[in-house]
Each structure stands twice: as structure tokens, then as C-alpha cells.
């Protein structure tokens, strides 16, 4: 029996610990060699070494380094070339796929592309696409289409009705495309409008899709042609309210820019509408005068502004009609002259072949010489130039003059009677012939018809001074010209006393009248001259002319005016004998401006010229 002793136990414990440490150290060595061997196998591409790793087969540790070999340059180059070839093939396939998609996209785009249409003949129109931009109009042919005026689509005597096919040309006033439907408004002559519409055809979806796509491409204010069938409808927003046009064909003649200076709709609102909208969530834009005038062609598309130009034209027509009926003829006088035609007004000068010439301030001298030529009743409508640095709401540097001159027998009242008859013809003619235009204008610019008397209402200078004194004006010695405030106050009182917006004021002080004015026979400080007023503002200036050459030279001396070459011919025409005569010069734009109650004369001028504006 063996005995256990503490010493033996200690020995066994120490031996066990040493064996454990030895085993752990062997395991660590084997693991390290296995990892190193795997790394070398991966670097050399010899996967079989990994399969025979010492970690898996410890008895083969001696193979880990002795059989490893390096790759040759040729082998490395081959591997690299193979790798690049795979990469290139991958890129080629990718590019091929991209090119195929692009080709498919282009083919689809080409199939859906809307080509320009060259419309040559109506009888061949079935050969043309029913929508698209027309080729540039260059007078290639007379197509044979018969266009209809929008205003003729309804009303008494209209020869068109539901079921009729019509061609229309006008501006695209507005367009709304939603889903498979489209509603647009076509505008002609600024204020005649009709609704046109298109609806998706379920039996022809491809056509409908292309038509809708084209309609979406149209821009407001473009000029378009529409062929369509009239159908009964109730359209309150257009001037034509009982029919609409079902679109069969639509072509763009000229396309407007996608971004406009402003919308015609915004230019068509009254100041009251704009003011009232400022307190709402969606206030209307306020278009300044300079913006409007910088883009005047757009401003004139607004119905009221367009109608103002038509009223201006009618004033000229009525002016001519009345004077023709009273024995006048129309003349055309020079606008390049050698000297001033009016005293006290600035002139524009220009070079005339080495000499200084002036733009005519009026046809005054030449219409008087026409009387000396035995053209005893003459009138002219023409441009007048004033180089006055005036920035008021009623002054322009260029305006249109309505001038008349006539021989008289005894008294300048003969001329005032002709003028009064002429203005009555204008006022009555505007209210009857331009009723529609005036209605449109007065929706945006509020006014009432001008009131007038049957016989001339003539206020004499002393009476005017008395009225102004009572109104609180300091008239001094009563020999000065009237201010704008005085004119307005005088007009207000005359309306109260005589019930007229239209009156004449005569016997102005000689000091404030041009040199060619005939002095008053009873008091040479005054004159046989007159101004004519509408709503308290002057529209016309005139007088009996001084036809006596000696007196005329005295008047020139009193005014400090030297009789240059231009005036010498003028005076000589009187020396050779002339009828006594009188006349007047009327500002066309001022007549329109005041008759319509506008706030600025520039609204009555197509393209106004003032000290700050010479374009457009």
C-alpha cells in the first residue's frame, strides 16, 4: 500500500501544469502557422495549399513554404487582360442596353411629334394634320377658307346657327386643359369673344391624346385658326353667349411668348376693382403707367383701351363729316418750317441741309395763307410738335391737331357757330355710333355723356373774372392767363348756372395770346380770341386773325418777334390781298381724354410722347 504524501501531490500538480502549458503553446503555434499558410495560398492563387493546411493536417506543416512559387509577369499580364476584358464586356452590354432604350425613346418621341402644317388648299385639308403650328405665312397660296367674324355668330340677322361649320381666326384669350377636355376663349378686335371646346374621343384615343398634347402647348395671346361646328350653349363669360365652337381643327398662326409683360385681363380692370381687391387674400396686381406705356401694344389689347382708339378715330371722322357738310376742304401743310409758328411755345429744331428748321408747332401760318389762296374754308388733321418741358396729365410733346380756318364776313362769332355745330355733331355721333365702345370704356373708366347747349354758350372774360373772384381766386389785375385750377372752378360754376359741360370763353387779354390775334376794337388790351372747354378744361384755342399786314408788323414788334424768312412770306400773302378770317386749333387727344373722363391724356394717345418718353 502506497502512501500519498503532500510532496507527491505537488509534483503531480506541477507536471499537469507543465503539460497544459506545452499543449496550449503547440496549439497556438499550429494556429499561427495555419493562418500564415492560408495567407500565402491566397496570394499565390494555390487553393490546394489551403485544403492541405497544417491546421487541418498538422503532419504536413513542412509543405507551407517550400513548394510556394511566384507568378511570372506573363501570367500576371494574362490575368490583368482577362479582368479588363470582362470589365469591357460588361461596359459594352451596359452601353448597348442604354442605346436601345434611347432608340426606343426617340422612336416614341418621333411618333408623337407634332409637325408644322403647310396649309395650302381648303379642298385638300383632309391630307393635313388637324392640329399644329402653321408654316410661316408667306403668301404661298389663297387657301379658300372663309373666315367668320365672332360678332356675327349670333344676334339678329346672323346667318349662322347650331350645326354650321365655321373658320375663325383670333387671339387665344384663355385656355384651360384638364384631363380629356379643353375649354378656350377666342378673342377678336379686343372685345368680341367666343368659347371653343374639345373633348376626348373614346373611339380614337391616339388622336385625342395628340390633340390634347398640342392644346397644352398653346400660349395665351397667340393668334390661332379654328375650324369647328357651332353648338347651342349658355356661356355668360363671352360676348357670344348662345353658341360655342366644337373644335375640329386648330392651328397656331403665330405663337406669343410664354411669359408676357402682363395679362390683358389685369390691364382691363378698373381702379375701383383693383383697390377693392387689396384687402382680400388674392389682390389684383396694380399695373403702373410706365409699365403699360413700355408695352403699349399689350395695353391696347385691353377692351377699354382698344375702344378708346376707336373713339379717337370716330372723332376724326365726325370732325371731317361736319366740316365737309359746311363747305370746308381738307389741306396738308408742311411740318418742316423755317421758324416758329407760335409765340410762347418751345420748338424742336433740326438740321435742314445746313440750315436750321423747326418742326411745326401748328399749321397756323399755312392755313391762313390758304385763305389768301382763295381756299376760303379749310381744315387739317395732322401732327403738332411742342417742345414744352411739361409733366402734367394733360400735356404732350406731340399730339394730333384738328385745325380749321375760314373766311368771315363780319364777326368771329361766325366761326364759333361753325365750331359749335361741329362739336354737337361729334358728341351726338359718339353716343349713337359708338354706343358699344362707350359702354365698354365706361365699365373701366367711369364717365357720363358731355352735356351741351343747342346754341353756343359764350362766357366773356369779365364774367369769368367775376366768377373766379367769388370762388376765392386772386385774379390780380385780371390780365393773366387762367391756371388749371381756375379752369376747373370756372367749369364747375358754368355747369351749375348754364347746365353745360361745353362752353366758350372769349375776349382774352392780348398779352397772353399769339402775335397773329386780332385786338379787341374797343380795348386793345383785350383780343378777339377764345378758348373752348369740356368739363372745365381747355380743348381748343382760336381767334380772329390779324389780316392787316401793317397791324401785324406792329403786333410782332410788341411781342419782340423778328420777322424772319418764314414770316416774311406769311405777311406778304396778306399784302397781296386776303379775306378777313378766323379759326381754331383743337387737340384730338385732349378731346378724347376729357370727353371720356380719363385721368391722363396719355390714355388717349396711341404712343404718347412727353419729355421723358420717345419710345415705343
Amino acid at each position: 500500500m502506497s502512501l500519498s504524501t503532500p510532496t507527491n501531490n505537488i509534483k503531480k500538480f506541477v507536471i499537469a501544469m507543465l503539460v497544459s502549458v506545452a499543449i496550449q503553446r503547440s496549439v497556438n503555434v499550429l494556429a499561427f502557422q495555419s493562418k500564415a499558410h492560408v495567407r500565402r495560398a491566397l496570394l499565390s492563387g494555390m487553393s490546394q495549399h489551403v485544403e492541405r493546411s497544417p491546421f487541418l493536417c498538422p503532419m504536413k506543416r513542412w509543405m507551407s513554404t517550400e513548394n510556394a512559387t511566384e507568378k511570372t509577369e506573363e501570367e500576371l499580364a494574362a490575368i490583368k487582360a482577362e479582368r479588363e476584358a470582362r470589365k469591357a464586356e460588361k461596359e459594352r452590354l451596359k452601353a448597348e442596353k442604354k442605346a436601345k432604350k434611347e432608340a426606343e425613346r426617340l422612336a416614341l418621341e418621333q411618333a408623337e411629334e407634332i409637325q408644322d402644317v403647310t396649309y395650302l388648299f381648303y379642298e385638300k385639308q383632309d391630307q393635313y394634320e388637324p392640329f399644329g403650328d402653321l408654316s410661316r405665312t408667306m403668301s404661298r397660296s389663297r387657301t379658300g377658307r372663309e373666315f367668320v367674324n365672332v360678332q356675327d355668330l349670333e344676334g339678329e340677322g346672323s346667318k349662322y346657327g347650331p350645326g354650321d361649320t365655321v373658320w375663325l381666326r383670333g387671339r387665344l384669350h384663355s385656355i384651360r386643359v384638364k384631363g380629356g377636355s379643353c375649354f378656350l376663349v377666342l378673342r377678336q378686335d379686343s372685345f368680341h369673344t367666343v368659347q371653343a371646346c374639345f373633348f376626348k374621343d373614346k373611339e380614337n384615343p391616339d388622336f385625342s391624346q395628340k390633340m390634347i398634347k398640342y392644346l397644352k402647348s398653346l400660349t395665351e395671346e397667340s393668334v390661332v385658326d379654328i375650324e369647328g361646328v357651332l353648338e347651342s350653349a349658355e356661356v355668360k363669360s363671352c360676348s357670344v353667349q348662345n353658341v360655342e365652337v366644337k373644335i375640329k381643327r386648330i392651328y397656331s398662326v403665330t405663337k406669343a411668348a410664354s411669359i408676357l409683360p402682363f395679362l390683358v385681363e389685369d390691364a382691363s380692370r378698373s381702379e375701383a376693382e383693383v383697390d377693392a381687391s387689396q384687402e382680400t387674400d388674392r389682390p389684383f396686381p396694380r399695373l403702373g403707367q410706365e409699365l403699360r406705356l413700355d408695352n403699349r401694344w399689350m395695353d391696347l389689347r385691353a377692351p377699354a383701351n382698344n375702344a378708346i382708339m376707336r373713339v379717337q378715330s370716330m372723332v376724326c371722322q365726325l370732325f371731317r363729316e361736319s366740316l365737309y357738310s359746311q363747305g370746308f376742304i381738307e389741306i396738308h401743310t408742311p411740318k418742316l418750317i423755317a421758324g416758329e409758328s407760335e409765340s410762347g411755345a418751345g420748338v424742336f429744331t433740326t438740321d435742314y441741309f445746313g440750315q436750321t428748321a423747326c418742326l411745326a408747332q401748328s399749321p397756323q401760318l399755312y392755313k391762313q395763307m390758304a385763305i389768301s389762296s382763295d381756299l376760303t374754308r379749310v381744315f387739317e388733321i395732322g401732327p403738332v410738335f411742342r417742345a414744352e418741358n411739361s409733366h402734367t396729365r394733360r400735356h404732350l410733346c406731340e399730339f394730333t391737331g384738328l385745325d380749321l380756318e375760314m373766311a368771315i364776313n363780319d364777326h368771329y362769332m361766325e366761326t364759333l357757330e361753325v365750331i359749335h355745330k361741329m362739336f354737337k355733331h361729334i358728341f351726338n355721333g359718339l353716343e349713337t355710333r359708338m354706343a358699344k365702345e362707350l359702354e365698354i370704356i365706361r365699365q373701366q373708366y367711369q364717365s357720363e355723356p358731355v352735356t351741351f347747349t343747342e346754341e353756343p354758350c359764350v362766357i366773356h372774360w369779365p364774367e369769368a373774372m367775376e366768377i373766379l373772384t367769388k370762388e376765392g381766386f386772386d385774379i390780380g389785375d385780371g390780365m393773366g392767363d387762367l391756371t388749371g385750377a381756375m379752369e376747373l372752378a370756372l367749369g364747375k360754376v358754368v355747369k351749375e348756372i348754364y347746365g353745360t359741360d361745353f362752353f366758350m370763353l372769349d375776349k382774352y387779354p392780348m398779352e397772353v395770346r399769339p402775335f397773329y390775334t386780332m385786338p379787341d376794337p374797343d380795348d386793345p388790351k383785350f383780343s378777339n380770341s377764345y378758348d373752348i372747354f369740356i368739363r372745365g378744361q381747355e380743348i381748343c384755342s382760336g381767334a380772329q386773325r390779324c389780316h392787316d399786314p401793317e397791324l401785324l408788323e406792329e403786333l410782332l414788334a410788341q411781342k419782340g418777334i423778328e420777322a424772319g424768312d418764314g414770316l416774311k412770306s406769311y405777311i406778304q400773302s396778306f399784302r397781296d390781298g386776303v379775306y378777313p378770317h378766323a379759326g381754331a386749333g383743337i387737340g384730338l387727344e385732349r378731346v378724347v381724354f376729357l370727353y371720356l373722363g380719363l385721368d391722363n391724356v396719355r390714355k388717349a394717345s396711341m404712343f404718347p410722347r412727353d419729355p421723358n418718353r420717345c419710345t415705343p
Side-chain angles (χ1 to χ4, degrees):
M1 169 174 162
S2 61
L3 296 175
S4 278
T5 63
T7 304
N8 290 334
N9 290 336
I10 291 171
K11 287 180 179 180
K12 290 178 181 179
F13 177 78
V14 170
I15 292 170
M17 288 295 295
L18 290 173
V19 170
S20 175
V21 170
I23 292 171
Q24 184 64 43
R25 186 174 297 170
S26 297
V27 170
N28 289 342
V29 170
L30 287 173
F32 176 81
Q33 289 179 345
S34 176
K35 289 179 182 179
H37 186 70
V38 170
R39 282 198 296 272
R40 285 195 298 272
L42 290 174
L43 289 174
S44 64
M46 298 173 67
S47 59
Q48 65 271 26
H49 288 184
V50 177
E51 295 173 1
R52 300 170 180 175
S53 168
F55 181 75
L56 300 176
C57 188
M59 299 301 294
K60 305 269 183 152
R61 288 197 307 272
W62 53 272
M63 296 179 63
S64 63
T65 58
E66 286 137 1
N67 291 340
T69 58
E70 294 291 333
K71 292 289 185 185
T72 66
E73 291 185 3
E74 288 78 4
E75 289 175 323
L76 292 174
I79 293 171
K80 182 178 180 183
E82 183 181 355
R83 188 185 304 121
E84 290 179 350
R86 287 196 301 269
K87 183 178 179 182
E89 177 65 12
K90 185 177 180 180
E91 292 295 330
R92 184 189 69 78
L93 293 173
K94 183 178 178 182
E96 188 178 90
K97 184 177 179 181
K98 183 178 180 181
K100 184 178 179 181
K101 285 186 177 181
E102 179 66 12
E104 291 173 352
R105 187 190 67 79
L106 290 174
L108 180 62
E109 187 177 281
Q110 187 174 6
E112 295 180 347
E113 184 179 1
I114 298 172
Q115 302 290 337
D116 287 356
V117 177
T118 302
Y119 193 112
L120 297 176
F121 303 106
Y122 176 73
E123 60 270 19
K124 295 183 179 181
Q125 74 169 2
D126 290 342
Q127 301 174 16
Y128 312 142
E129 283 280 8
F131 50 82
D133 297 346
L134 286 182
S135 298
R136 184 181 295 112
T137 302
M138 299 179 71
S139 302
R140 292 180 175 87
S141 67
R142 301 290 293 273
T143 64
R145 293 175 295 171
E146 294 185 6
F147 287 94
V148 174
N149 291 324
V150 168
Q151 61 182 325
D152 296 333
L153 293 179
E154 68 173 5
E156 292 185 13
S158 175
K159 61 181 182 180
Y160 304 102
D164 290 338
T165 299
V166 295
W167 273 100
L168 300 168
R169 174 172 288 184
R171 286 196 182 276
L172 187 58
H173 181 71
S174 65
I175 184 167
R176 177 167 54 90
V177 181
K178 186 176 182 180
S181 63
C182 171
F183 293 89
L184 61 85
V185 174
L186 191 74
R187 187 181 78 241
Q188 279 183 356
D189 300 331
S190 186
F191 36 81
H192 298 117
T193 55
V194 64
Q195 178 170 282
C197 55
F198 176 82
F199 300 102
K200 183 178 180 180
D201 184 356
K202 294 181 180 179
E203 296 180 0
N204 196 347
D206 291 340
F207 164 77
S208 298
Q209 184 179 356
K210 291 185 72 174
M211 172 66 91
I212 292 291
K213 179 182 177 182
Y214 180 69
L215 291 170
K216 287 181 178 179
S217 74
L218 295 175
T219 53
E220 291 184 8
E221 295 303 303
S222 295
V223 177
V224 297
D225 288 349
I226 293 177
E227 184 190 37
V229 179
L230 297 181
E231 294 186 342
S232 296
E234 185 177 341
V235 186
K236 295 182 180 180
S237 59
C238 294
S239 63
V240 175
Q241 299 187 341
N242 296 326
V243 294
E244 64 183 8
V245 182
K246 186 175 181 181
I247 298 172
K248 292 172 58 181
R249 292 175 175 270
I250 183 168
Y251 302 110
S252 172
V253 181
T254 59
K255 277 193 172 181
S258 57
I259 300 177
L260 298 169
F262 49 80
L263 298 180
V264 172
E265 183 181 8
D266 292 332
S268 305
R269 296 190 181 94
S270 67
E271 282 296 316
E273 286 181 278
V274 176
D275 289 341
S277 74
Q278 300 308 304
E279 302 302 321
T280 68
D281 294 336
R282 299 183 66 181
F284 297 135
R286 193 183 300 277
L287 305 183
Q289 178 174 272
E290 295 307 306
L291 174 64
R292 288 174 177 265
L293 294 182
D294 287 342
N295 302 277
R296 185 61 165 155
W297 55 90
M298 289 291 298
D299 195 36
L300 290 176
R301 293 180 192 176
N305 296 339
N306 194 277
I308 289 171
M309 294 298 103
R310 298 173 189 273
V311 167
Q312 187 196 86
S313 174
M314 181 56 68
V315 170
C316 292
Q317 180 177 328
L318 295 167
F319 175 78
R320 283 190 171 99
E321 286 178 1
S322 178
L323 294 184
Y324 276 134
S325 72
Q326 298 184 72
F328 284 73
I329 66 167
E330 185 169 4
I331 61 173
H332 306 282
T333 62
K335 299 299 172 262
L336 280 172
I337 61 177
E340 296 181 9
S341 51
E342 298 276 357
S343 60
V347 295
F348 292 105
T349 60
T350 185
D351 177 74
Y352 190 76
F353 301 103
Q355 303 178 54
T356 298
C358 301
L359 296 180
Q361 299 159 289
S362 83
Q364 183 60 46
L365 307 185
Y366 294 94
K367 63 181 183 175
Q368 285 187 253
M369 285 191 277
I371 304 299
S372 187
S373 305
D374 288 350
L375 301 171
T376 52
R377 287 193 168 195
V378 298
F379 74 87
E380 179 175 15
I381 300 177
V384 174
F385 304 92
R386 301 287 174 89
E388 297 174 324
N389 195 19
S390 298
H391 298 266
T392 74
R393 66 188 186 93
R394 62 177 187 168
H395 284 91
L396 293 171
C397 292
E398 179 186 350
F399 61 90
T400 302
L402 308 177
D403 279 87
L404 64 93
E405 204 75 23
M406 58 179 279
I408 61 174
N409 295 320
D410 301 312
H411 199 282
Y412 63 81
M413 272 303 299
E414 299 167 31
T415 302
L416 288 179
E417 289 164 356
V418 167
I419 294 172
H420 184 76
K421 183 178 179 180
M422 180 265 293
F423 269 110
K424 282 172 58 179
H425 184 67
I426 291 176
F427 298 155
N428 287 326
L430 288 178
E431 293 298 328
T432 55
R433 301 190 204 179
M434 305 297 286
K436 182 175 182 179
E437 287 79 3
L438 289 174
E439 180 184 0
I440 291 169
I441 293 168
R442 286 166 177 161
Q443 288 174 1
Q444 185 167 357
Y445 307 108
Q446 182 61 40
S447 72
E448 297 294 331
V450 166
T451 59
F452 54 90
T453 55
E454 273 304 305
E455 299 301 321
C457 177
V458 181
I459 309 298
H460 301 302
W461 187 261
E463 182 184 357
M465 294 300 100
E466 184 179 341
I467 290 172
L468 291 174
T469 299
K470 289 181 179 179
E471 290 296 307
F473 287 94
D474 181 5
I475 62 169
D477 60 1
M479 303 301 286
D481 205 353
L482 299 183
T483 64
M486 289 178 177
E487 289 181 356
L488 289 170
L490 180 61
K492 181 180 178 182
V493 174
V494 170
K495 178 70 177 288
E496 294 170 355
I497 298 174
Y498 300 101
T500 179
D501 293 313
F502 177 73
F503 67 94
M504 302 166 178
L505 174 62
D506 73 345
K507 296 299 180 181
Y508 273 76
M510 191 67 186
E511 181 66 26
V512 298
R513 305 307 278 191
F515 68 88
Y516 47 75
T517 306
M518 180 67 76
D520 180 85
D522 299 322
D523 187 346
K525 293 196 301 294
F526 294 92
S527 65
N528 292 347
S529 65
Y530 39 81
D531 279 358
I532 299 175
F533 296 82
I534 291 179
R535 305 189 200 273
Q537 297 189 66
E538 179 249 320
I539 58 159
C540 169
S541 183
Q544 178 184 353
R545 318 304 186 185
C546 181
H547 60 280
D548 181 271
E550 283 71 30
L551 178 57
L552 188 56
E553 288 180 333
E554 290 180 17
L555 295 174
L556 282 168
Q558 290 175 13
K559 296 283 187 182
I561 300 173
E562 184 178 349
D565 292 340
L567 289 178
K568 286 178 181 178
S569 301
Y570 166 71
I571 297 171
Q572 184 60 44
S573 73
F574 296 164
R575 294 191 191 281
D576 295 334
V578 64
Y579 291 94
H581 55 280
I586 304 160
L588 171 62
E589 290 84 357
R590 197 173 285 190
V591 170
V592 175
F593 150 59
L594 294 173
Y595 187 85
L596 298 176
L598 306 176
D599 61 353
N600 197 301
V601 71
R602 290 159 183 80
K603 286 186 170 69
S605 174
M606 189 171 186
F607 293 100
R609 294 290 178 262
D610 59 35
N612 296 324
R613 180 171 294 279
C614 199
T615 59

